[in-house]
Amino acid sequence: MYTFKDLVEITAKLRAEDGCPWDREQTFESLRKYMREEAEEAVQAVDKNDMENLCEELGDVLFQVMLNSQIAKENGLFSVEDVIDGICQKMVRRHPWVFGGEKINSTEEGEALWARIKMQEKAKKP
């Protein structure tokens, strides 16, 4: 079975000089339509309760993340590891009732706390 490390290496190889011409010519802008399409196909699989197709479509969405991250890495912007670190930090920060000392008694309280934390984060950004 392939691993995440394999996926990183496959993506880099596809974008390499001796890789795939189509993959090499992609940009953030050219990939926008594919990200939308793949996300919509994943939603459709959920709507149809088609778990086999959902698994495939989630892989396609993940590959869009990988391609965009590889392009960013090539341009010295960020890496897929940065993407992973960022989402892990965000999930821990926005779930203080799971990873900290906060207490909630309902989904609604959790959603309200999440929204409050998100607003505070957005207010700090320039």
Side-chain angles (χ1 to χ4, degrees), residues 25-66:
E25 71 184 27
Q26 297 312 304
T27 64
F28 297 125
E29 294 76 21
S30 70
L31 290 171
R32 289 175 60 203
K33 66 181 175 184
Y34 301 110
M35 180 70 85
R36 283 188 181 118
E37 286 174 11
E38 299 303 351
E40 181 55 35
E41 289 172 1
V43 168
Q44 290 171 5
V46 170
D47 290 346
K48 294 176 183 174
N49 198 29
D50 184 347
M51 295 302 109
E52 184 177 331
N53 192 38
L54 178 60
C55 182
E56 179 182 342
E57 296 305 337
L58 289 175
D60 293 343
V61 171
L62 177 58
F63 190 67
Q64 290 302 309
V65 172
M66 298 303 296

Side-chain angles (χ1 to χ4, degrees), residues 48-115:
K48 294 176 183 174
N49 198 29
D50 184 347
M51 295 302 109
E52 184 177 331
N53 192 38
L54 178 60
C55 182
E56 179 182 342
E57 296 305 337
L58 289 175
D60 293 343
V61 171
L62 177 58
F63 190 67
Q64 290 302 309
V65 172
M66 298 303 296
L67 272 177
N68 278 278
S69 297
Q70 180 64 31
I71 292 166
K73 182 178 180 179
E74 292 165 6
N75 288 286
L77 301 171
F78 59 85
S79 68
V80 71
E81 291 81 9
D82 296 320
V83 173
I84 292 167
D85 182 64
I87 192 60
C88 287
Q89 286 189 39
K90 181 189 286 187
M91 290 301 106
V92 169
R93 193 173 57 246
R94 291 196 186 169
H95 289 88
W97 59 93
V98 176
F99 301 103
E102 294 279 341
K103 300 288 183 221
I104 61 167
N105 296 309
S106 67
T107 299
E108 293 76 19
E109 286 181 18
E111 289 174 344
L113 184 52
W114 171 286

